[in-house]
Amino acid sequence: MTFNKLTCKPGPRLNLVVGPNGSGKSSLVCAIVLGLGAEPQLLGRASSIGAFVKRGEESGYIKISLRGHTKEERLTIMRKIDTRNKSEWLFDGMLFVV
């Protein structure tokens, strides 16, 4: 995909992703969707998770931090993916078997 690393901190209301063609808007949306558990076919871009690994790399990961019940509480979801179409999930740093 497009980025080596991207940190995005959306605000509490309406958030827009804007930019010129090829700047990675769709890559950001794909990362959110795949990081929250959707199958790649939903996106209509590729049929396997391995297709979302950056060219030239063997693996990658998506890490999403969400606010919990309080402003201080953070929930972290990480999906590690590789070119062999394997996924590994971590929830708050603990391996989660799906």
Side-chain angles (χ1 to χ4, degrees):
M1 298 297 297
T2 306
F3 301 105
N4 286 325
K5 181 178 179 178
L6 171 71
T7 301
C8 179
K9 296 182 180 183
R13 301 206 189 313
L14 177 66
N15 292 276
L16 303 173
V17 179
V18 296
N21 289 346
S23 63
K25 300 178 299 291
S26 296
S27 295
L28 173 62
V29 173
C30 288
I32 293 168
V33 170
L34 295 172
L36 293 176
E39 292 298 321
Q41 297 85 350
L42 176 70
L43 297 168
R45 300 185 101 195
S47 59
S48 64
I49 194 70
F52 290 91
V53 175
K54 188 174 182 178
R55 262 189 215 119
E57 301 291 335
E58 293 290 318
S59 63
Y61 69 91
I62 301 161
K63 183 176 178 181
I64 298 175
S65 296
L66 303 170
R67 192 175 104 179
H69 293 290
T70 66
K71 285 186 178 184
E72 296 78 28
E73 184 183 17
R74 291 281 181 250
L75 306 171
T76 303
I77 302 164
M78 182 184 284
R79 184 176 189 178
K80 295 180 180 181
I81 61 175
D82 66 33
T83 55
R84 297 169 303 165
N85 300 314
K86 303 288 183 199
S87 287
E88 185 176 87
W89 294 88
L90 288 91
F91 183 73
D92 286 338
M94 306 228 5
L95 186 62
F96 186 79
V97 180
V98 180

